[in-house]
Amino acid sequence: MADTETDAGVDPAFRRDVLAGLEARPRAIPARWFYDLRGSELFEEITDLPEYYPTRVERSILDGQSAAIGDAIGAGQAVVEFGSGSSAKTPLLLNAISPAAYVPIDISGEFLRESADALSADFPDLPVHPVEADFTHPVSLPAAIADLPKLGFFPGSTIGNFTPPHAVDFLRAMKETLGEGALLLIGMDRIKGEDVLVRAYDDAAGVTAAFNLNLLERINRELDGDIPLDTFRHKAVWNDMLARIEMHIEAARDVEFSVSGRDFAMAEGETIHTENSHKYGPRDARILLRAGGWTVTHEWTDDADQFALLLAEARPEVTAP
Ligand code: AVI
C-alpha cells in the first residue's frame, strides 16, 4: 500500500519489519517493536513478577556488593548508560562509586529527559548530560566528559536479546563509543534449570503473555490489521542448543488475516518468533565479551548464581608470539 493520509504517524520501519517478518519462514518480528506505551508498561510489570528473577537479583547484587563494586571501579568515572530507559538501577551504581558525571543514552528523547531530570533531583551535584541516540551504533559523547575516565553501564541482561553475532557487534560499538581503557559493567543472565527459565517467561498471572500478544494489538492498531487476537497464544520455550529462551506467538487454529492491505494465512501450530533471551554460563560470558573487545576483570553473582554482573576493560588484545 502506498503511503497515504491514513498512514500518518505510522513508523515505516515498523511496517517494513512486520510485513517482512510475516512473509519470512520461519516468521519473525524483532523484539524492539514490543515497546509501545502499553508494552513498556507491561515490561515494568514483568520486572515485579515473582517468577521474573533477573531484575530483582541484579538489584540485590548491586546493592549487597556495592562496596566491592565501588572498590573495583573507583571514583571519578563518567558513567555512560546504554539504553538508560527509566534509569531504575542507576542510583544503586552511582551511590557505590562516587562518579564525576552521568551520561544516559536512549533513543526515546522524552523518556530520556524525564528520567535525567528525576536523577538530577536525587543527585544535585552530579553533572548529567543526556544523549538521544541509537546506542547500538557508536555514539559521540559530550565534550564535557572528554577528559574523564569512562564506565559503560548496561544492566538488565538486555545483551541477551541480541543473537551472539549482533551482541559482539554491539560490544564493539560500545568500545568505540567509550574508547580504549574504558570499563564496562554489564548484567548477564545465567543458564539454569529449564523450569525456572520457562516460568520467568510464562508467568502464572499472564503478564508476559499479554506483553507478547500486545504486539498483535499494536499491529492491528497501527498497521490497519484485522488479526483475530483470540486465535493466538503466547509460547515460551527453552532452546538448549542455542542457550536461549524463545518467545513465540502461536496460531491455535488455521487463520487468515490482513495487515496493511496484505493477506496472510497461518496453519494451526505455526508461530511468529518474537524474542530471544540468550543465557550465558560464566565462561560463555567472558568469551562473548572478549570477542567484543572487552576483558573481564571482576564478576559478582548472587548466592544461587542466577545472574552475573561483570566488570570488563577495553584492552588491546595481546597475543602470544
Ligand atoms: C529486556 N530483556 C532483558 C527482557 C528479557 O528478559 O529478555 C525482555 C523480556 N521479555 C519477556 N520478559 C522479559
Side-chain angles (χ1 to χ4, degrees), residues 35 43 46 52 156-158 161 201 208 211 247 275 277:
Y35 299 93
F43 179 66
I46 287 174
Y52 192 76
S157 74
T158 303
N161 297 129
Y201 292 83
T208 311
F211 173 70
M247 294 211 316
E275 187 178 57
S277 197

Side-chain angles (χ1 to χ4, degrees), residues 66 69-71 73-77 79 92-100 151:
S66 61
I69 294 171
D71 283 350
I73 293 171
Q77 300 277 346
V79 177
L92 289 171
L93 174 67
L94 299 181
N95 282 323
I97 63 167
S98 308
L151 169 72

Side-chain angles (χ1 to χ4, degrees), residues 272-296:
I272 306 166
H273 188 169
T274 49
E275 187 178 57
N276 294 311
S277 197
H278 294 82
K279 310 300 173 188
Y280 291 98
R283 288 180 182 77
D284 313 330
R286 295 173 204 156
I287 288 173
L288 185 83
L289 281 156
R290 278 187 68 200
W294 296 90
T295 304
V296 173

